[in-house]
Amino acid sequence: MGIPKEAKIELFPKWKSGKLNKITDVPGVTVGHVTKKDGEINTGVTAILPHQGNMFKDKVMAGVSVINGFGKSAGLIQIEELGTIETPIVLTNTFGVGTATVALTKYMLKDNPDIGVDTGTVNCVVTECNDGRLNDIRGLHVTEEDVLEALNNTDTDFEEGAVGGGTGMVCLGFKGGIGSASKIVTIDNKEFTVGALVMSNFGADGNLVIGGDHVGKRIKEIRDAKRKPETKVDDYQDKGSIIMIIATDVPLSERQLKRVAKRAMISLGRVGSFCGDGSGDIAIAFTTANRMPHYSDKLILDAQLMLDDRIDIVFEAAVEAVEESIISSLYHAETVKGVRGNVYEGLRNYL
């Protein structure tokens, strides 16, 4: 349920959280996980459904921001060109992208016999981070069945931390993973939700900042005092990746959603990232309020958008939601020992 109130963490948020404090506070959005933990295997799949209908026939408007392009995701080019998403979004490890794309394609073909016959093909959206520090990534342990299970078992409530696609991820020197949060904004006297979900696998050891407090530096000093000199961790490499998904029911255009996605970089800076050379930092934003039908008798379609001069409220809420999601991913992740004996501790060991 996001970061519990009893947690010794203060982010000084401006906007109140939704009921679950998760991306699924946006009506219609659901999330599913498949988690694979077995010795040196620490990996999995996380699936996000933007709505509960037929995604191909009823697309959501979307925007993407490739903050740092050290990544191997699929489907981003068409989002950039057309401004829509027409499948669920799958998060997994780097070597699972091909498998996940095939599985997601089969998932879409099942309910859409027209794809590739009477109409074009389908743009599957699959995102990734490298979980090779804790997972036997060369073993290619993510299967099509795992992806389909995650897609077919989504819900509004879901686990955070070392689960799903985040099972083997590492963030800012700690065990990373899946985190989520939501913020409520009032526009034209009506409440809307801005939610986020991240798969965190980025950042340099010692750089973690929470609510302006450089806690990572103090924790690193404690760790380094216990480490043997030959096992000391580099304090300057920001590597890994992060996938940031922002959802909202605020009516926005694809151009505005791209602007929202760009602001996720501010969240990264707040928690201590400088978007290093080896980090793939990607944000995708979508709205459930504006849909694009695949088939339509009307050639001129109706859509709403927010006045740009007042969109700052959405920008700020999105920045806060992504920031809290990152900290939540660390807070909920337990210590994991993985491949080659590597161990990454959960943040709660030091709180």
Side-chain angles (χ1 to χ4, degrees), residues 83-138:
T84 59
I85 293 175
E86 60 187 16
T87 73
I89 302 168
V90 173
L91 296 79
T92 188
N93 76 46
T94 308
F95 288 171
V97 171
T99 299
T101 301
V102 172
L104 185 51
T105 300
K106 291 180 178 178
Y107 173 87
M108 297 302 297
L109 294 179
K110 178 177 177 292
D111 293 326
N112 296 280
D114 52 335
I115 292 177
V117 179
D118 300 318
T119 188
T121 56
V122 62
N123 183 49
C124 293
V125 181
V126 180
T127 60
E128 57 77 33
C129 295
N130 183 347
D131 60 12
R133 285 176 280 184
L134 284 171
N135 174 51
D136 170 32
I137 194 169
R138 291 174 60 91

Side-chain angles (χ1 to χ4, degrees), residues 40 42 131-135 168-170 175 336 338-339 342 344:
E40 294 190 341
N42 291 282
D131 60 12
R133 285 176 280 184
L134 284 171
N135 174 51
M169 304 303 173
V170 176
K175 180 67 192 72
V336 173
V339 70
N342 290 335
Y344 283 88

